[in-house]
Amino acid sequence: MDISLEIVSVAFFIGLLTWVLLDIMRRRRGGGSNRTCLIYRADRGCKVFALLTVLANALISTFYLGFVIYEYWVGGGIISCKSIFSGMTWVLATLVTVYSKNTIHSEQNRWPWVLIIWWIFSCSFYSLSLCLYLISHFRSLDLPDILPKANIVEFASFPLSVLLCFNAFRYAAQEKNDLKHPLLEKEDETPPQNTDTYTKAGIWSKATFQWLNPLFKRGRIQKLELPHIPHVPPSERAENASYVLDESLMKQKMEDSSLPKSIMRAIRRSLAINAVFAGANTAASYIGPFLITNFVNYLLEKNDNSSIHHGLILAFIFFIAKTLESLSQRQWYFGAHLIGVRVRAALTVLIYKKSISIKYSGPSNGKIINLINVDVERIGDFCWYINGIWLLPLQVFLALAILYRNLGAAPSAAALLSTVLVMVCNTPLANMQERLHSKIMEAKDSRIKVTSEILKSMRVLKLHSWEPTFLKKLLQLRETERHWLKRYLYTCSAVAFLFWASPTLVSVTTFGVCIILNTPLTVGTVLSALATFRILQEPIYNLPELISMITQTKVSIDRIQEFVKEDQMKLIPCHTSKVSDVMVVLDAGEYAWKTTEQDLKKPTIKVTEKIEIMKGSKVAVCGSVGSGKSSLLLSILGEIPKISGEGAKVYGTKAYVPQSAWIQTGTIRENVLFGKEMNKGCYEYVLEICALDHDVNTWADGDLTVVGERGMNLSGGEKQRIQLARAVYSDSDVYILDDPFSAVDAHTGTHLFKKCLLQHLSMKAVIYATHQLEFLEAADLVLVIKDGQIAESGKYEDLIADPNGELVRQMSAHKKSFDQVNTCRQDDSFNRRPHQVNLMEVLEEKEAINNGKLSGQGHEEEAETGRVKWRVYSTFVTSAYRGALVPVILLCQVFFQGLQMGSNYWMAWATEKEHKVSKERLMWVFGLLSAGSSIFILGRALFLSTIAIQTAQRLFLGMITSVFRAPISFFDSTPSSRILNRCSTDQSTVDMDIPYRLAGLAFALIQLISIIILMSQVAWQVFILFLGVLALSMWYQAYYITTARELARMVGIRKAPILHHFSESITGAGTLRCFNQGDRFLMKTMDLIDDYSRVAFHNYATMEWLSVRTNFLFNLVFFLLLIILVSLPRSAIDPSLAGLAATYGLNLNVLQAWVIWNMCNVENKMISVERILQFTHIPSEAPLVIEDCRPVPEWPVAGKIELENIHVQYNPALPTVLKGITCTFPGGKKIGVVGRTGSGKSTLIQALFRIVEPSGGQILIDGVDISKIGLQDLRSRLSIIPQDPILFQGTMRTNLDPLQQHSDQELWEVLNQCRLAEIVRQDQRLLDAPVAEDGENWSVGQRQLVCLARVLLKKRKILVLDEATASIDSATDILIQETIRKETSGCTVITVAHRIPTVIDNDLVLVLGEGKVLEYDSPTRLLEDSSSAFSKLVAEFLRRSSMSNCYRDPS
């Protein structure tokens, strides 16, 4: 038979050589040029299989060459012809494979047929040889000599030859398919939207994760985007997952503890399948320690004449067990992640449904975001731990069973007791970890809450120069968090020490009992026990972690269940009216916000008599600040809990315009349509009547211009008009408008009132609250609110006729302001017909048209591409102590590994040499080596924690300082959720994850290298194998990382839109409910969750794809090591060392997977560092203080402001906003700044505060050029009341005096001056009265008064009022203006206002238009010219206010 094989080998050798020569000749004739265009395309598709084929050929060639050398060495220079010819043919086959791979051009575009036939022949021959060998040894049959006899090379080459056959056909088929593809694939080509590659995959594809190959292929050739990622399986989609959970909850009927039961019911089938894989993995992992005794005994008993079949059978069992362990582990882990994806999706939808249906007084935005960010994530993660509940006792039982078999009852009992002791020691540490983790989370919650509030209010902080104070407050909160983090990480060091020292402790105890009881120890039993102890590490470590995870998950489930069980919002149904004309019925009743303190609870709104509102009626609601106007409207909408009475009934559909504008992120068109179909004609008409058409026509992208978060790049007037357009376009039956005219100027207010309310909505029921009392006359019914009650109701004419009525009192204040304006005009000016303003004059010009604040494109989050740069790694590693502790930690690991291996080898060697080593010496040496290794592991853990704490703090300080110093344009273009993501998720990863991942990679690499060295000591051939396998593993890792890296980046980016949508929906929940848009927003939430799920799902899967492949390669190395150990003669190996190598080899696949997983995971996690570092290099504002140019402490003394040829543009690429403004504001004077929206008023104020730096010209204050001094020196000497009144969560005291520089007496003085003292005294806590998030428990008008009080408290020489009294009634406005005049006498006051009475008595008025000075003079002189711009504004106010019966003497 050998002669026949030699002939066949020679024939194939000649055939291969002939093919190569013929092919080279054909190429020289030019035959190879015609298909070169296919090389890249085809090769790209088959790269993996081609490379595997080359490596398999090369490995088999190496086996044969090694076997020839071995034969020569053992046989005294004699080598068989069979080995020589087979080896030569395989070497040539390898060369032909390399040649074919690099020059694909044959007609069939496949491997050469001669090569394929050689592979098939070799595979068939090897399988026949192995089968005959097994039959002859198991059945003890004597087979004829003519049949082939297997040798060690054929055993080793058989798996590789099977791989070659598979790859040959797969490669050919792949190339045939490639020919059908277009030669130039479109890079933006995306898979069909509903693709789901996982569900369609077969069993083999799912087992080996081949269904991911198309994704890897795409990720290799282009940057992955969301459309490239296939969908998650239907069962994991948010809609299905939510439906199953809802169904499960319905069955449970919301009993106590029903949520965990409902979740279990919803996922029980998947959990059962997952449990099968977990059980199979655990069983397979214990086969190695169980059989290692048999293997070592076989090596000890083997002699040169004994058969190797028993050893080969053991090697096969090891290989099959390790392969089963790897495959089941991959399916177990992936299945757990899959269940986690489903649970997260279902719970997120559940929380969203609840959050948009609860009352206003429900949990805060921050709490709900925490539920999703922390609690839902934790419950999802628990799916990975859940099998540990039953696996842990099973693992301990199996370990004890192996120990009992090898060592007997007493040592097994000792092992059990020491294991329990370690677990008991670990439990208090785990409990401490849990407590400290809770403290960290509480501290983090506080920090994130404050960070969120600061980011929302950053413009105000910068204007007041408060950012250093608030940064200090934030750093104090971080310091608290760092205190708990430090304790937590040092506790983790103790846990890590116990984890690594536990096998040592258990082994010393067990072997000590064996020696005391004279239990016989052999090399096999010792190594089996050591392998078992190593596996026992897992349950010892996992028990406290499991207990901690169960506790944390229970807390999270309880939090979600408590939230879900809160009172559902009882929405007022849309009644179908029996009497078609009645649209709203407001019955007598009381309404009150929920409050935890019952003694403080009193009705917010009290309705004493029934009110009916008919179709086509216009109902005006007026009253002073805080009287309850908004609350009345909300009670009609059903947003305030009813505590008595019938309540309100609304017949038909409703539309609502809140006082604080709610604008969703998206285009202008999306905000106006708000889920309704587009009707072009109607849509354009709505834009026109809402004074938006001019803006839309001038924006670069028209109505497709994207609005930023909370409409931050829109002015107050624009937000209000977009809201109004949304309501008008909805074509509802009832309109509820909360002060829609306060944020717009006189022209626009008149236009909106006439065109919208009186004309377009003439047939609709409209209820509107207003401070502009000139809009009352047109109402059919006027409701006057005072102290939460309807003080008066009736027709305007009737109410104004009552001289003692509440309306007359309020109107007298309005008349006073009217007279104030009127007296400033000459008599003939007033008697003339008021100036008729045409439509184009009424329409507002948009400042953002010119300044580019409103860009046409949405700001997508910027993500780095390609590998994480080495600069990121070096910055991270050297952040703490310049990297000085890193070599120390690595040395600790090297010494630990060396001492641990040394102690294990000592036990194995000394047991074999029992007659030479006494039992006492055996244990002493073992104990000392083990103790030494434990000391080094403790040092490693402590040093690592020290580095982790320092690194995290330095990165945090760099980022947060950079963010606080960023210009306001950064906050306008960057959603706060993006910054918060870095401050929370990414910072948490840096705090508690990355240092340990990076160190874990280094430690695992040291372990792997030490095992390779150990194995190479036993059999040097393994080293060559390792080089090949490591090269292939690294190639796989490089192939994997291009796709995985982008997926990891997308996971971070896709979470933010969910949180942003949640936050936005909760803020606008009332609007959503009113417009019945809950379902549409729910669908959007589900889409966003699915987008996140598909990225997270494929991110998990890609890691398993890599692990399956690398696990198999290292299992193959382990298998070949065992075969080499079995094949080598007894004299060539040290059984103790060989047994030790086999023992460590049992962990090879786990360790290798850990190395590869860490390599990939470290890069994925380092993206968090990359994202933090992105925010440490934000271009900053000018310095806060310039020491060489500090103004004198008294500056400014006079308050004189000189503007010299000021030019401002928001961006060098955008048009100029202020175009050469030159004027002087004299010190101590009152200057009014007016002009239509978009004229540049706000930009002028921003330039004064250097929020935006002038591109030309200079501003001098008392002769000091403000561009030369520090920002803090400038802004702290000026005062401003900004347009948006911002309050911070806390108390009234902290809001009035954030820097805590004033006494209570001073605070009460300013409260009295601002007419707030009475309101504050109503709360028994006085100055410590709570202020809710965003000041929600105070009306908008009251918030503006608090902002005024802050400014009066500072007593600065220059005061700026930016629309400061827009939301205040006329009476309060007059009192406030008087207060300002009195308290700021001698100060320079710059007032930007829409209300003419606010500026009419100023010393000077500056009129701006399109960024230029139109007029600048005293109001009297400007009014003398009836054609002046200021005259036109005054005329419009008077025309609107001079109603014939409005001001007649009621007496």
Side-chain angles (χ1 to χ4, degrees):
M1 186 68 184
D2 283 352
I3 296 170
S4 308
L5 281 172
E6 288 157 18
I7 294 167
V8 172
S9 296
V10 170
F12 273 110
F13 185 87
I14 294 166
L16 288 165
L17 197 58
T18 306
W19 182 86
V20 171
L21 294 171
L22 287 171
D23 195 73
I24 291 169
M25 287 169 64
R26 185 165 37 178
R27 288 189 70 214
R28 282 183 177 172
R29 291 194 200 109
S33 60
N34 59 341
R35 300 182 70 87
T36 2
C37 60
L38 289 177
I39 292 174
Y40 173 68
R41 180 69 187 89
D43 186 53
R44 188 177 65 190
C46 311
K47 221 171 187 177
V48 181
F49 301 105
L51 195 64
L52 283 173
T53 306
V54 171
L55 284 168
N57 277 281
L59 278 171
I60 296 174
S61 303
T62 308
F63 292 162
Y64 270 103
L65 289 174
F67 190 68
V68 166
I69 295 165
Y70 171 70
E71 272 191 329
Y72 181 82
W73 174 42
V74 174
I78 300 169
I79 308 169
S80 66
C81 292
K82 173 188 168 187
S83 300
I84 291 172
F85 287 123
S86 296
M88 284 171 59
T89 311
W90 273 111
V91 170
L92 183 58
T94 304
L95 295 173
V96 171
T97 309
V98 173
Y99 173 79
S100 302
K101 176 183 175 291
N102 293 327
T103 58
I104 297 170
H105 63 274
S106 60
E107 290 295 324
Q108 292 78 22
N109 208 24
R110 67 173 79 223
W111 295 115
W113 277 112
V114 65
L115 198 57
I116 292 173
I117 294 168
W118 167 244
W119 290 336
I120 294 169
F121 166 76
S122 301
C123 184
S124 307
F125 175 74
Y126 295 153
S127 57
L128 177 64
S129 299
L130 261 65
C131 289
L132 291 172
Y133 176 83
L134 293 171
I135 289 166
S136 66
H137 283 282
F138 281 109
R139 299 282 182 180
S140 302
L141 297 175
D142 291 324
L143 297 171
D145 290 337
I146 195 167
L147 293 175
K149 293 180 174 55
N151 60 27
I152 182 67
V153 177
E154 286 155 9
F155 265 94
S157 302
F158 174 64
L160 295 170
S161 63
V162 173
L163 186 67
L164 282 173
C165 291
F166 172 75
N167 279 356
F169 293 115
R170 179 65 184 257
Y171 188 60
Q174 182 78 29
E175 288 178 346
K176 277 185 179 178
N177 290 337
D178 286 334
L179 288 173
K180 297 173 188 174
H181 290 176
L183 297 183
L184 293 170
E185 184 176 350
K186 290 179 186 173
E187 290 233 334
D188 59 348
E189 195 178 293
T190 58
Q193 280 302 299
N194 294 318
T195 53
D196 168 20
T197 48
Y198 177 76
T199 308
K200 295 172 186 173
I203 293 173
W204 176 249
S205 180
K206 282 183 178 175
T208 58
F209 295 88
Q210 279 186 2
W211 53 275
L212 283 167
N213 287 353
L215 184 65
F216 279 110
K217 179 179 156 190
R218 181 175 285 279
R220 190 76 172 162
I221 59 173
Q222 69 181 104
K223 186 190 174 202
L224 285 180
E225 302 288 350
L226 185 66
H228 301 147
I229 315 296
H231 281 284
V232 287
S235 58
E236 269 61 53
R237 288 180 197 164
E239 191 172 1
N240 293 353
S242 169
Y243 173 76
V244 172
L245 181 61
D246 286 347
E247 208 174 44
S248 186
L249 279 167
M250 291 289 286
K251 287 176 183 170
Q252 289 289 330
K253 293 182 182 174
M254 291 307 290
E255 305 158 3
D256 287 341
S257 74
S258 63
L259 186 59
K261 288 180 186 174
S262 300
I263 295 170
M264 291 299 288
R265 183 193 286 268
I267 59 172
R268 59 188 173 186
R269 185 171 173 273
S270 301
L271 276 179
I273 295 168
N274 201 237
V276 171
F277 285 120
N281 172 259
T282 303
S285 68
Y286 277 87
I287 289 173
F290 182 75
L291 291 181
I292 201 76
T293 309
N294 302 48
F295 188 77
V296 173
N297 289 341
Y298 165 80
L299 291 179
L300 285 166
E301 293 161 10
K302 189 176 74 162
N303 55 54
D304 293 344
N305 299 320
S306 60
S307 168
I308 63 170
H309 81 276
H310 181 63
L312 289 174
I313 290 166
L314 282 172
F316 268 117
I317 293 170
F318 273 122
F319 179 65
I320 290 163
K322 295 307 286 180
T323 304
L324 177 64
E325 181 191 344
S326 298
L327 287 173
S328 58
Q329 188 178 54
R330 303 280 59 88
Q331 294 302 318
W332 168 23
Y333 286 3
F334 179 64
H337 284 311
L338 202 59
I339 296 167
V341 166
R342 188 188 313 172
V343 169
R344 284 187 196 101
L347 287 175
T348 307
V349 173
L350 183 70
I351 291 168
Y352 183 83
K353 283 179 182 173
K354 184 68 191 180
S355 64
I356 61 169
S357 67
I358 52 178
K359 297 184 174 73
Y360 266 31
S361 53
S364 68
N365 198 332
K367 182 183 176 183
I368 295 171
I369 296 297
N370 254 356
L371 287 177
I372 300 159
N373 242 352
V374 179
D375 297 303
V376 169
E377 282 296 320
R378 191 174 287 150
I379 294 166
D381 291 341
F382 183 69
C383 297
W384 198 82
Y385 289 85
I386 197 164
N387 285 308
I389 295 168
W390 63 272
L391 278 180
L392 204 130
L394 176 65
Q395 287 171 314
V396 173
F397 171 76
L398 289 174
L400 291 173
I402 293 170
L403 288 173
Y404 178 74
R405 170 181 173 261
N406 288 326
L407 301 174
S412 302
L416 176 63
L417 286 172
S418 51
T419 302
V420 170
L421 177 66
V422 172
M423 285 182 172
V424 167
C425 290
N426 220 344
T427 306
L429 286 174
N431 291 337
M432 191 186 294
Q433 261 185 313
E434 189 189 340
R435 282 198 307 276
L436 292 171
H437 191 266
S438 298
K439 293 286 186 185
I440 291 171
M441 289 310 295
E442 284 171 21
K444 193 184 296 295
D445 281 353
S446 303
R447 175 172 64 81
I448 296 301
K449 198 173 182 182
V450 170
T451 308
S452 174
E453 195 168 46
I454 286 171
L455 292 175
K456 282 191 282 188
S457 316
M458 189 55 83
R459 186 179 293 273
V460 171
L461 297 187
K462 286 190 176 293
L463 287 168
H464 288 293
S465 190
W466 285 343
E467 67 269 52
T469 305
F470 278 77
L471 175 60
K472 191 177 175 185
K473 179 182 177 183
L474 196 59
L475 292 178
Q476 284 171 350
L477 290 169
R478 171 64 185 175
E479 196 53 46
T480 306
E481 183 185 355
R482 185 167 169 253
H483 166 73
W484 295 116
L485 181 67
K486 189 185 287 187
R487 289 183 60 181
Y488 175 79
L489 291 181
Y490 282 127
T491 308
C492 288
S493 301
V495 171
F497 168 69
L498 266 180
F499 171 68
W500 288 102
S502 58
T504 303
L505 180 66
V506 175
S507 55
V508 166
T509 309
T510 308
F511 292 142
V513 170
C514 288
I515 285 166
I516 291 166
L517 299 177
N518 288 319
T519 305
L521 290 174
T522 66
V523 180
T525 54
V526 165
L527 290 174
S528 176
L530 288 171
T532 307
F533 297 146
R534 204 168 293 117
I535 286 189
L536 260 179
Q537 260 183 313
E538 195 179 343
I540 288 172
Y541 180 71
N542 282 352
L543 177 65
E545 191 179 0
L546 181 65
I547 293 168
S548 167
M549 199 65 198
I550 290 169
T551 313
Q552 288 179 32
T553 307
K554 186 181 182 304
V555 170
S556 291
I557 285 182
D558 290 345
R559 273 162 58 92
I560 292 174
Q561 184 160 286
E562 181 190 349
F563 174 70
V564 171
K565 278 188 172 181
E566 283 192 18
D567 292 341
Q568 195 77 11
M569 178 75 212
K570 292 183 176 65
L571 290 175
I572 292 187
C574 291
H575 302 274
T576 305
S577 179
K578 294 174 185 174
V579 183
S580 59
D581 285 347
V582 179
M583 301 310 295
V584 180
V585 177
L586 195 57
D587 283 311
E590 292 182 348
Y591 303 84
W593 297 112
K594 272 193 173 178
T595 174
T596 49
E597 291 162 48
Q598 294 300 316
D599 57 326
L600 294 175
K601 186 167 180 175
K602 63 173 187 175
T604 307
I605 277 291
K606 190 172 183 180
V607 181
T608 51
E609 56 186 55
K610 183 175 179 179
I611 296 170
E612 288 188 351
I613 298 167
M614 315 298 283
K615 183 177 180 180
S617 294
K618 304 292 175 281
V619 179
V621 180
C622 64
S624 58
V625 172
S627 58
K629 299 182 296 298
S630 298
S631 297
L632 177 67
L633 301 186
L634 290 173
S635 63
I636 294 171
L637 287 170
E639 295 291 340
I640 302 182
K642 179 185 68 179
I643 54 175
S644 70
E646 286 293 313
K649 296 186 186 71
V650 179
Y651 297 93
T653 54
K654 308 184 290 292
Y656 173 51
V657 176
Q659 187 177 15
S660 296
W662 179 77
I663 304 290
Q664 65 177 119
T665 307
T667 63
I668 302 287
R669 181 183 293 180
E670 285 168 352
N671 270 285
V672 174
L673 296 180
F674 208 51
K676 291 184 76 72
E677 291 293 319
M678 168 62 119
N679 179 327
K680 192 74 176 169
C682 175
Y683 175 74
E684 288 177 353
Y685 176 66
V686 167
L687 291 184
E688 182 193 328
I689 63 174
C690 292
L692 279 168
D693 55 338
H694 185 61
D695 303 66
V696 168
N697 292 334
T698 49
W699 286 329
D701 289 309
D703 62 350
L704 296 177
T705 300
V706 176
V707 178
E709 185 183 17
R710 301 188 311 277
M712 65 165 65
N713 46 1
L714 296 169
S715 71
E718 282 158 344
K719 287 190 265 192
Q720 202 70 285
R721 284 180 288 138
I722 289 169
Q723 279 203 122
L724 191 58
R726 175 170 67 206
V728 172
Y729 189 81
S730 69
D731 193 29
S732 302
D733 300 315
V734 178
Y735 286 80
I736 297 172
L737 316 176
D738 194 353
D739 203 8
F741 313 115
S742 63
V744 295
D745 58 40
H747 288 283
T748 312
T750 305
H751 173 78
L752 294 177
F753 188 72
K754 278 176 61 180
K755 294 284 183 180
C756 282
L757 261 72
L758 300 184
Q759 292 177 19
H760 185 71
L761 302 179
S762 59
M763 300 306 292
K764 309 285 187 180
V766 181
I767 307 168
Y768 61 97
T770 184
H771 286 303
Q772 279 93 329
L773 301 183
E774 56 269 25
F775 293 135
L776 295 183
E777 189 189 14
D780 301 302
L781 176 67
V782 177
L783 302 178
V784 184
I785 311 293
K786 185 179 181 183
D787 298 333
Q789 294 190 33
I790 300 174
E792 290 181 329
S793 66
K795 285 191 173 295
Y796 177 78
E797 293 84 356
D798 299 336
L799 296 179
I800 206 72
D802 179 5
N804 301 317
E806 180 63 24
L807 181 62
V808 170
R809 194 188 65 77
Q810 292 190 22
M811 288 303 291
S812 61
H814 181 70
K815 182 174 184 297
K816 189 175 178 182
S817 65
F818 174 82
D819 291 342
Q820 193 179 15
V821 176
N822 206 16
T823 53
C824 289
R825 288 179 61 89
Q826 298 171 349
D827 291 340
D828 62 336
S829 172
F830 179 60
N831 294 330
R832 262 201 310 268
R833 186 168 176 237
H835 178 73
Q836 294 302 306
V837 184
N838 64 32
L839 183 62
M840 285 308 292
E841 286 177 312
V842 171
L843 291 177
E844 302 174 40
E845 293 166 27
K846 175 70 191 84
E847 183 170 348
I849 299 164
N850 302 324
N851 64 33
K853 277 163 67 184
L854 194 60
S855 63
Q857 299 301 320
H859 294 278
E860 276 295 317
E861 179 161 2
E862 284 180 27
E864 300 279 347
T865 55
R867 292 188 67 88
V868 174
K869 307 293 184 293
W870 281 111
R871 177 181 55 78
V872 176
Y873 287 95
S874 64
T875 304
F876 183 79
V877 170
T878 57
S879 284
Y881 313 108
R882 297 189 178 178
L885 287 180
V886 174
V888 177
I889 290 171
L890 294 177
L891 274 174
C892 283
Q893 174 65 17
V894 169
F895 284 128
F896 159 71
Q897 194 63 36
L899 288 170
Q900 194 187 51
M901 280 184 151
S903 66
N904 291 348
Y905 178 66
W906 165 260
M907 279 302 291
W909 178 84
T911 309
E912 193 187 356
K913 305 280 190 288
E914 198 174 352
H915 55 283
K916 292 183 182 178
V917 180
S918 67
K919 290 180 179 179
E920 290 78 11
R921 187 180 171 204
L922 174 79
M923 281 311 297
W924 269 109
V925 173
F926 180 65
L928 284 171
L929 289 171
S930 300
S933 70
S934 299
I935 289 166
F936 280 113
I937 210 71
L938 181 61
R940 185 195 83 178
L942 290 172
F943 284 134
L944 183 56
S945 294
T946 305
I947 280 185
I949 294 158
Q950 186 68 13
T951 303
Q953 188 66 3
R954 289 196 61 146
L955 286 174
F956 176 78
L957 286 173
M959 174 181 65
I960 206 71
T961 308
S962 178
V963 167
F964 267 73
R965 293 291 299 116
I968 206 69
S969 57
F970 169 77
F971 300 96
D972 286 343
S973 61
T974 309
S976 59
S977 58
R978 204 175 291 171
I979 304 170
L980 283 173
N981 236 354
R982 283 165 171 80
C983 289
S984 57
T985 312
D986 291 325
Q987 187 61 45
S988 290
T989 308
V990 170
D991 283 346
M992 301 163 80
D993 205 355
I994 296 179
Y996 296 93
R997 295 262 183 245
L998 206 54
L1001 172 60
F1003 301 157
L1005 274 170
I1006 290 168
Q1007 278 184 283
L1008 187 63
I1009 291 164
S1010 62
I1011 291 174
I1012 292 170
I1013 293 168
L1014 175 64
M1015 288 182 167
S1016 303
Q1017 282 286 343
V1018 177
W1020 62 267
Q1021 300 91 334
V1022 175
F1023 186 69
I1024 299 166
L1025 279 174
F1026 263 120
L1027 290 180
V1029 167
L1030 280 174
L1032 191 54
S1033 294
M1034 294 306 290
W1035 180 86
Y1036 265 128
Q1037 193 260 349
Y1039 182 76
Y1040 152 89
I1041 199 65
T1042 51
T1043 300
R1045 187 192 299 120
E1046 299 309 322
L1047 285 170
R1049 284 191 174 116
M1050 273 195 264
V1051 167
I1053 290 170
R1054 287 288 141 200
K1055 189 70 186 279
I1058 300 174
L1059 300 179
H1060 175 66
H1061 184 66
F1062 253 84
S1063 181
E1064 198 167 68
S1065 301
I1066 295 160
T1067 308
T1071 307
L1072 295 187
R1073 288 193 284 267
C1074 181
F1075 283 90
N1076 292 320
Q1077 290 293 313
D1079 290 342
R1080 184 171 71 87
F1081 271 66
L1082 177 62
M1083 290 307 295
K1084 185 179 176 185
T1085 305
M1086 288 180 175
D1087 288 342
L1088 289 171
I1089 292 167
D1090 284 343
D1091 285 347
Y1092 173 72
S1093 293
R1094 71 204 260 201
V1095 175
F1097 169 80
H1098 286 89
N1099 190 39
Y1100 297 138
T1102 49
M1103 203 167 283
E1104 302 304 338
W1105 178 93
L1106 180 69
S1107 298
V1108 161
R1109 282 148 183 77
T1110 50
N1111 276 358
F1112 176 76
L1113 288 173
F1114 278 83
N1115 286 340
L1116 193 62
V1117 170
F1118 180 55
F1119 172 56
L1120 295 172
L1121 167 76
L1122 295 180
I1123 287 177
I1124 291 168
L1125 291 178
V1126 167
S1127 307
L1128 287 173
R1130 172 72 174 80
S1131 57
I1133 56 169
D1134 174 359
S1136 303
L1137 201 58
L1140 189 65
T1143 306
Y1144 273 96
L1146 288 174
N1147 275 356
L1148 194 62
N1149 69 323
V1150 175
L1151 187 59
Q1152 157 275 322
W1154 182 238
V1155 169
I1156 295 292
W1157 186 79
N1158 258 326
M1159 278 178 120
C1160 303
N1161 209 29
V1162 157
E1163 178 149 19
N1164 292 346
K1165 293 285 183 185
M1166 283 302 284
I1167 290 166
S1168 289
V1169 179
E1170 180 184 72
R1171 282 157 55 84
I1172 286 173
L1173 290 176
Q1174 269 181 351
F1175 276 19
T1176 52
H1177 303 296
I1178 305 163
S1180 69
E1181 289 185 302
L1184 291 176
V1185 175
I1186 299 172
E1187 290 297 342
D1188 297 338
C1189 297
R1190 298 204 70 172
V1192 294
E1194 302 80 35
W1195 179 86
V1197 179
K1200 180 183 178 184
I1201 301 170
E1202 298 167 76
L1203 308 174
E1204 297 179 2
N1205 196 28
I1206 290 296
H1207 289 77
V1208 172
Q1209 55 187 143
Y1210 282 89
N1211 188 306
L1214 296 169
T1216 306
V1217 186
L1218 294 184
K1219 303 163 186 173
I1221 302 277
T1222 301
C1223 61
T1224 301
F1225 298 162
K1229 299 291 185 184
K1230 308 289 183 284
I1231 296 99
V1233 181
V1234 295
R1236 294 192 176 89
T1237 303
S1239 57
K1241 303 188 298 291
S1242 293
T1243 306
L1244 180 65
I1245 300 305
Q1246 289 187 62
L1248 182 62
F1249 282 81
R1250 288 178 64 192
I1251 294 295
V1252 55
E1253 297 282 358
S1255 54
Q1258 61 178 358
I1259 301 175
L1260 305 176
I1261 298 180
D1262 282 1
V1264 176
D1265 186 347
I1266 65 169
S1267 64
K1268 299 285 196 307
I1269 63 174
L1271 292 181
Q1272 190 170 354
D1273 283 335
L1274 170 67
R1275 293 170 184 169
S1276 63
R1277 310 296 175 88
L1278 310 178
S1279 284
I1280 185 169
I1281 305 175
Q1283 193 168 359
D1284 295 323
I1286 300 286
L1287 296 192
F1288 305 99
Q1289 187 165 11
T1291 64
M1292 180 54 69
R1293 177 184 276 105
T1294 58
N1295 269 280
L1296 288 171
D1297 183 22
L1299 307 186
Q1300 298 177 353
Q1301 295 174 334
H1302 301 277
S1303 66
D1304 282 10
Q1305 185 182 349
E1306 291 174 293
L1307 298 184
W1308 281 113
E1309 278 177 20
V1310 293
L1311 286 174
N1312 279 314
Q1313 290 164 5
C1314 296
R1315 306 298 186 272
L1316 270 172
E1318 286 304 315
I1319 300 167
V1320 173
R1321 285 195 179 97
Q1322 286 174 10
D1323 192 310
Q1324 61 194 26
R1325 289 163 289 193
L1326 300 176
L1327 289 172
D1328 292 319
V1331 175
E1333 192 175 354
D1334 295 330
E1336 286 294 337
N1337 56 340
W1338 296 79
S1339 74
V1340 177
Q1342 287 167 341
R1343 283 180 239 165
Q1344 283 189 323
L1345 294 177
V1346 174
C1347 292
L1348 177 64
R1350 274 184 199 152
V1351 167
L1352 295 179
L1353 201 59
K1354 287 171 75 174
K1355 295 183 171 63
R1356 296 288 180 253
K1357 195 69 182 174
I1358 296 174
L1359 170 62
V1360 178
L1361 308 175
D1362 190 2
E1363 316 283 4
T1365 54
S1367 297
I1368 296 172
D1369 62 277
S1370 297
T1372 311
D1373 188 19
I1374 289 168
L1375 293 170
I1376 293 304
Q1377 294 304 327
E1378 285 175 5
T1379 303
I1380 292 171
R1381 276 193 290 274
K1382 181 182 169 186
E1383 297 299 324
T1384 60
S1385 56
C1387 299
T1388 306
V1389 180
I1390 302 167
T1391 306
V1392 178
H1394 286 150
R1395 288 184 177 183
I1396 296 301
T1398 311
V1399 295
I1400 199 74
D1401 65 339
N1402 283 184
D1403 301 307
L1404 293 163
V1405 172
L1406 174 67
V1407 184
L1408 295 178
E1410 295 185 357
K1412 296 176 183 174
V1413 176
L1414 297 182
E1415 297 156 3
Y1416 181 45
D1417 211 330
S1418 69
T1420 314
R1421 286 192 186 168
L1422 290 176
L1423 289 173
E1424 287 172 1
D1425 180 5
S1426 61
S1427 63
S1428 72
F1430 186 63
S1431 285
K1432 292 175 185 177
L1433 286 168
V1434 173
E1436 177 61 29
F1437 171 77
L1438 292 172
R1439 186 177 69 80
R1440 198 171 71 177
S1441 303
S1442 60
M1443 301 169 185
S1444 58
N1445 60 344
C1446 181
Y1447 300 108
R1448 70 179 175 219
D1449 192 341
S1451 58

